[in-house]
Amino acid sequence: MPRLRDFAKTLRSKNCDPFNTTFDVFFDSEEAYRQVKDSGRITAEVLAPLYGLTNDQVLGIYFLDNALAFKVTMVKDIASSDPACKDVFGAHQHLMLADLEIPEEKR
């Protein structure tokens, strides 16, 4: 099954503050964007378990049709100010999201 990384042009993550991470996903075609958006896979119920979070810890999912992009903001499991944090900038958190399976388009 194809994965999100097969559709996205750019997939990145970063801290939006010490306690939350934001994910930006951009597409270079409307077809790829629509397939991912319409797949029903970009939901708190699907994304939260990937990161060991509860659904309410997915703070927002925003689809930006004009930009062919979506943004997700989630609570960090360890604050970036905590000495145990292994990704202080949140720059490597998008890797699990990149592996998210996206069903093939139904014809």
Side-chain angles (χ1 to χ4, degrees):
M1 182 174 293
R3 299 178 185 280
L4 182 57
R5 68 173 175 253
D6 299 321
F7 295 94
K9 177 182 181 182
T10 302
L11 242 151
R12 64 185 180 206
S13 59
K14 59 188 177 284
N15 291 339
C16 55
D17 62 36
F19 308 103
N20 299 299
T21 301
T22 191
F23 301 82
D24 301 313
V25 183
F26 296 90
F27 301 85
D28 60 2
S29 78
E30 186 164 352
E31 180 182 346
Y33 170 72
R34 291 283 170 205
Q35 186 167 346
V36 171
K37 182 179 179 181
D38 295 343
S39 73
R41 301 283 291 152
I42 311 302
T43 65
E45 294 76 18
V46 172
L47 301 180
L50 293 176
Y51 292 89
L53 302 174
T54 60
N55 293 350
D56 63 326
Q57 290 176 302
V58 177
L59 303 177
I61 298 173
Y62 312 96
F63 287 95
L64 309 163
D65 294 345
N66 291 339
L68 300 179
F70 70 86
K71 178 183 274 297
V72 177
T73 302
M74 295 185 205
V75 172
K76 290 183 71 150
D77 59 343
I78 299 175
S80 59
S81 57
D82 190 306
C85 183
K86 296 180 181 170
D87 186 8
V88 175
F89 299 107
H92 302 290
Q93 299 306 306
H94 64 282
L95 299 175
M96 289 181 283
L97 184 60
D99 278 338
L100 181 69
E101 292 182 342
I102 303 295
E104 293 192 44
E105 191 173 30
K106 293 182 173 112
R107 297 180 189 242

